[in-house]
Amino acid sequence: MYSIGQLSKKTGVTVRTLDYYDEIGLITPSSKTEGGHRLYSDNDVMRLEQVLALKFMGFSLQQIQEVLDRPTATWEDSLEKQLKMIRQQQKQLKELERAVQSVLYSVQFEDAINWAIIFEIIQMFKQSKESVQDLFEHYFNPNEYKEIQDMGKRMDEQDLQEWQDIFHDVRANIHVHPGSDTAQRLARRWMDKVDEMFAGNKEIEAKMWHAMKDHKDDITFYPIDKDMVNFIDSAVTIMYQENDQNNNRSKREAEDE
């Protein structure tokens, strides 16, 4: 038998907590000394260990009481329900992480707190996944949509930082002529990163750009906004035109030889 002090030392549970468990009937000592001091049996210790294990797995004290009072055969059902709840909480926390990261990114990108943008970002994350999926399914077939989702999972911190640097540089040079050397360097950086991200899949690249152009007036692809889309669209068009001219010139020179 263990006194409350001995049980506290053995399990690491404070005397105050053991008092509370006794008060609510969760862990009741099997006997008492003649002086009224509580004594805990090995079975009581086992029950406390069960409480600690279930508490670690996220069960509330009320849930623990219900689980411990059931036959052992029903534990599996309780654990499956708890696991399902934990996975749902993980998904919610992941969404919250993405939302907070996006808000932080907006503050870093704007070099200030723009509450209008922050509000729009939060509203976007509050949308149901179905509405986001509907938006993408308007442009992509199921296989393409899955590929885009997989692509997002593959992106790491370095990829995100590289895109952030490109966005910053485009924003800083948004006033230059799209045919200038500066704009053309930015266009090449942009398209090189796009090709890397989409593994050279030109069809998905084109569809994604179409989606961005259609939604350049809203927050969907933030921080890619109307000015950035127009700038990159013009600069890339000029880049491809110059590439075509150079290719045609090279062909003519080869034919003359």
Side-chain angles (χ1 to χ4, degrees), residues 105-117:
Y105 177 63
S106 77
V107 173
Q108 294 171 337
F109 185 74
E110 302 293 337
D111 292 325
I113 297 179
N114 187 324
W115 285 108
I117 291 177

Side-chain angles (χ1 to χ4, degrees), residues 249-257:
R249 188 180 302 113
S250 297
K251 287 181 181 179
R252 287 196 300 270
E253 291 174 352
E255 290 173 356
D256 291 342
E257 293 178 358

Side-chain angles (χ1 to χ4, degrees), residues 134-169:
D134 287 345
L135 185 152
F136 277 92
E137 286 182 348
H138 178 71
Y139 299 95
F140 306 98
N141 63 44
N143 289 334
E144 290 170 336
Y145 180 56
K146 183 178 185 306
E147 189 171 338
I148 289 171
Q149 288 179 306
D150 292 341
M151 174 203 69
K153 294 175 183 177
R154 289 194 301 268
M155 291 184 68
D156 56 21
E157 288 296 326
Q158 182 177 345
D159 291 318
L160 294 174
Q161 185 59 54
E162 288 175 3
W163 271 118
Q164 186 172 352
D165 292 342
I166 292 172
F167 294 150
H168 269 289
D169 290 345

Side-chain angles (χ1 to χ4, degrees), residues 1-11 18 29-33 37-46 49:
M1 303 292 282
Y2 301 90
S3 68
I4 191 170
Q6 290 171 328
L7 182 61
S8 174
K9 185 175 181 180
K10 177 180 176 63
T11 62
L18 291 171
S30 296
S31 62
K32 293 183 179 180
T33 65
H37 297 292
R38 288 166 288 184
L39 292 175
Y40 294 86
S41 67
D42 288 336
N43 286 337
D44 296 332
V45 175
M46 181 181 297
E49 289 172 347

Side-chain angles (χ1 to χ4, degrees), residues 24-35:
I24 63 176
L26 185 60
I27 305 289
T28 304
S30 296
S31 62
K32 293 183 179 180
T33 65
E34 292 182 0

